[in-house]
Amino acid sequence: MFCTPDTSKQNPFASFSLRKSRTILCVLALLSLATTVASAQATFTSLHAFNSIDGVEPYYEYLVQGTDGQLYGTTYLGDGTGTVFKIATSGALSVLYTFCATAGCPDGDFPIGGLVMAPNGNFYGTTSQYGLDTVGACLPGIYGCGTIFEITPSGTFTVLHTFTGPDGFSPYANMTLGTDGNLYGTTLFGGNQSACPGGCGTVFKLTPAGKFTSLYSFQGSDGENPIGKLFQASNGNFYGTTIVGGASGTGTVFEISSAGKLTTVYNFGAGTSPGGPYAGIIQGSDGNFYGTTAGGGTTSFGTVYKLVGKKLTTLYNFCSQPGCADGNYSYAGLIQATDGNFYGTTGSGVNPGGTVFEITPSGVFTTLYTFCSQANCADGSDPYGGLLQATDGNFYGTTLQGGEQNQYGTVFKLSTGLGPFVQSVTTSGKVGAAVTILGTNLTGSTAVNFGAASASFTVNSTGSAITTTVPSGATTASITVTTPSGTLKSNATFKVIPKINSFSPSSGPVGTVVTITGVSLTQTTKVTFGGVKATSFTVNSDRQVTATVPSGAKTGKIVITTPGGTAKSPTTFTVT
């Protein structure tokens, strides 16, 4: 017995001839390696059905929460050309911008990825075509190579970069905000054209002011066609995936530094993911990496996997239930919610409208909602985009189709009982650094704390954001905000970066006790002299550490390590 879900949209990039056609069957006799349970607690709400004027087909995007508490996103089409929209959590939607506003579409067209918000409160996104009024500038039949843009919450639009081909073209994924304040992203094509027709794709960096740097051009053997969103891991490097390429030609997981040094972490094999991973990869709170594939596994309909080092473990095989009731073709990937579990979507399933699912780090799988459960798919169909857990605790996402006339797509909310929290836009900073904290119903808040350190703050007029600075004495820990309704905790640890101001004496032999002064030194875990670890040190206060010059120490910088990062002395200690 086999299940045959709708495959008409299994390859939304068929026009680009990215992948060879393949027959995919779901063998129902195969059992999943993980436990599956049914959902009895998720509450689904359809917030908005697009009507072709305000948007059509929100694609591979993740909605993003703004400082005004509203959610922002893009549609691939809309009035013929694509839009940027904002929507209240109650469902009121307005269009901020319609693409191809002038002849030749210098602003770009067909935005496939969503938006990312920078610390300045503005949003940044990409378009997959136009920007150049030239047919075939990147590939025959393709109109322009795409753009990167900035848009304010009020709709002021600026083109920051126009792709030309060698620097990449057709960016499909959401960009990622790095801890350095820059934006990082990928292009599906472009770069080195000697290895792949039209180029194998690139990784790039963009400052909020618009300075563009091409960091890496894929060669095919190290991966080809990156489409998933990048994720910055705890080591400061970014991780991503490619659809094809690599040792087996079926995709890779890669690591790349902010300077552009790329390492292939994992090559997908023919039996694991014949079509490669469409989605990016994320680092869980346990330090391991988690992701999804849109094909492969024991059913050929995709998997959820965990990557520890270079060892991959399949946590779940999609389409393991009769009729693919658990869904298949996960294009968007995962997010980790405040309960520690992972949440994602599948593009199709039993109806075949797709699903929203939950999976624990150990692989216990739950189908939370099945789309096309309403007449004419009024609730939406084909959720190709990922989920956002907003600060009210609920999940928000989009569907590619369904809704009005069963064709234009929707915005939806899914409540699973998770409570509200706060989220800092930036996740690290030194004492004195400006921080914006997002939340819900923050008006009347009486305290903001970074660890045990209290910070002065201001709540904005909508009660959905707080502006503050990292206070003296702050430690790497959760941020807490005391509101009239109770204390809210941040969904991620805020890392306080240490700083060394000076040390004394400036030189000495092994055994010399050196007094190091600086800021945010309370959580010091290691001190090194010229790269050699001190076996003895004492944390005297947040501003002072004393350390003994160890045997084998070399002349060089003193470095202190804390959970928030590392600090290097401004001058050299001389070992005599």
Side-chain angles (χ1 to χ4, degrees), residues 58-256:
Y59 240 100
Y60 286 103
E61 71 161 344
Y62 292 77
L63 295 170
V64 59
Q65 183 174 338
T67 57
D68 58 1
Q70 300 202 59
L71 310 180
Y72 291 74
T74 63
T75 64
Y76 176 68
L77 300 171
D79 204 16
T81 56
T83 66
V84 178
F85 66 86
K86 66 178 177 181
I87 183 170
T89 55
S90 61
L93 183 142
S94 59
V95 175
L96 290 179
Y97 189 79
T98 300
F99 287 96
C100 205
T102 57
C105 302
D107 52 345
D109 203 353
F110 308 126
I112 292 180
L115 305 170
V116 59
M117 187 176 73
N120 61 11
N122 294 336
F123 301 93
Y124 295 78
T126 60
T127 62
S128 63
Q129 291 187 41
Y130 284 90
L132 289 175
D133 189 18
T134 305
V135 178
C138 295
L139 274 182
I142 300 299
Y143 288 77
C145 307
T147 65
I148 305 176
F149 62 86
E150 174 188 20
I151 188 167
T152 67
S154 61
T156 301
F157 183 95
T158 306
V159 174
L160 297 179
H161 181 75
T162 299
F163 289 98
T164 60
D167 59 350
F169 80 90
S170 289
Y172 273 32
N174 289 56
M175 292 185 290
T176 297
L177 176 66
T179 56
D180 59 3
N182 295 318
L183 303 167
Y184 293 81
T186 61
T187 64
L188 190 64
F189 302 110
N192 178 21
Q193 298 194 24
S194 62
C196 315
C200 301
T202 68
V203 181
F204 65 84
K205 175 174 70 174
L206 184 84
T207 69
K211 182 181 178 181
F212 178 92
T213 303
S214 185
L215 292 179
Y216 192 79
S217 178
F218 286 94
Q219 308 297 308
S221 59
D222 55 1
E224 182 180 345
N225 305 131
I227 192 173
K229 180 181 178 182
L230 295 174
F231 185 90
Q232 189 172 25
S234 57
N235 64 4
N237 293 334
F238 296 87
Y239 288 75
T241 60
T242 63
I243 302 174
V244 292
S248 300
T250 51
T252 67
V253 175
F254 64 86
E255 174 187 14
I256 187 168

Side-chain angles (χ1 to χ4, degrees), residues 418-431:
L418 298 180
F421 59 93
V422 291
Q423 177 181 356
S424 59
V425 175
T426 52
T427 57
S428 65
K430 296 180 179 180
V431 167

Side-chain angles (χ1 to χ4, degrees), residues 114-410:
L115 305 170
V116 59
M117 187 176 73
N120 61 11
N122 294 336
F123 301 93
Y124 295 78
T126 60
T127 62
S128 63
Q129 291 187 41
Y130 284 90
L132 289 175
D133 189 18
T134 305
V135 178
C138 295
L139 274 182
I142 300 299
Y143 288 77
C145 307
T147 65
I148 305 176
F149 62 86
E150 174 188 20
I151 188 167
T152 67
S154 61
T156 301
F157 183 95
T158 306
V159 174
L160 297 179
H161 181 75
T162 299
F163 289 98
T164 60
D167 59 350
F169 80 90
S170 289
Y172 273 32
N174 289 56
M175 292 185 290
T176 297
L177 176 66
T179 56
D180 59 3
N182 295 318
L183 303 167
Y184 293 81
T186 61
T187 64
L188 190 64
F189 302 110
N192 178 21
Q193 298 194 24
S194 62
C196 315
C200 301
T202 68
V203 181
F204 65 84
K205 175 174 70 174
L206 184 84
T207 69
K211 182 181 178 181
F212 178 92
T213 303
S214 185
L215 292 179
Y216 192 79
S217 178
F218 286 94
Q219 308 297 308
S221 59
D222 55 1
E224 182 180 345
N225 305 131
I227 192 173
K229 180 181 178 182
L230 295 174
F231 185 90
Q232 189 172 25
S234 57
N235 64 4
N237 293 334
F238 296 87
Y239 288 75
T241 60
T242 63
I243 302 174
V244 292
S248 300
T250 51
T252 67
V253 175
F254 64 86
E255 174 187 14
I256 187 168
S257 70
S258 58
K261 181 181 178 181
L262 185 137
T263 304
T264 300
V265 177
Y266 185 80
N267 287 283
F268 287 92
T272 303
S273 181
Y278 274 67
I281 193 168
I282 66 170
Q283 186 176 34
S285 56
D286 59 4
N288 298 320
F289 292 90
Y290 295 81
T292 65
T293 63
T298 57
T299 62
S300 296
F301 281 102
T303 66
V304 180
Y305 64 87
K306 175 170 73 173
L307 191 62
V308 181
K310 293 190 175 183
K311 181 182 178 181
L312 185 142
T313 302
T314 298
L315 293 180
Y316 190 78
N317 289 281
F318 289 108
C319 200
S320 294
Q321 298 180 42
C324 288
D326 50 345
N328 51 70
Y329 305 141
S330 179
Y331 295 118
L334 305 169
I335 63 167
Q336 189 170 30
T338 50
D339 61 355
N341 294 331
F342 299 98
Y343 293 78
T345 59
T346 64
S348 58
V350 64
N351 279 352
T355 66
V356 179
F357 65 86
E358 172 190 8
I359 187 168
T360 68
S362 62
V364 178
F365 185 95
T366 306
T367 299
L368 297 176
Y369 188 76
T370 301
F371 288 94
C372 245
S373 294
Q374 300 176 14
N376 297 317
C377 294
D379 54 338
S381 175
D382 308 319
Y384 281 13
L387 297 171
L388 163 73
Q389 188 185 20
T391 57
D392 61 5
N394 298 317
F395 297 97
Y396 295 85
T398 60
T399 65
L400 182 68
Q401 296 192 352
E404 185 172 318
Q405 299 182 35
N406 189 19
Q407 60 180 331
Y408 299 133
T410 68

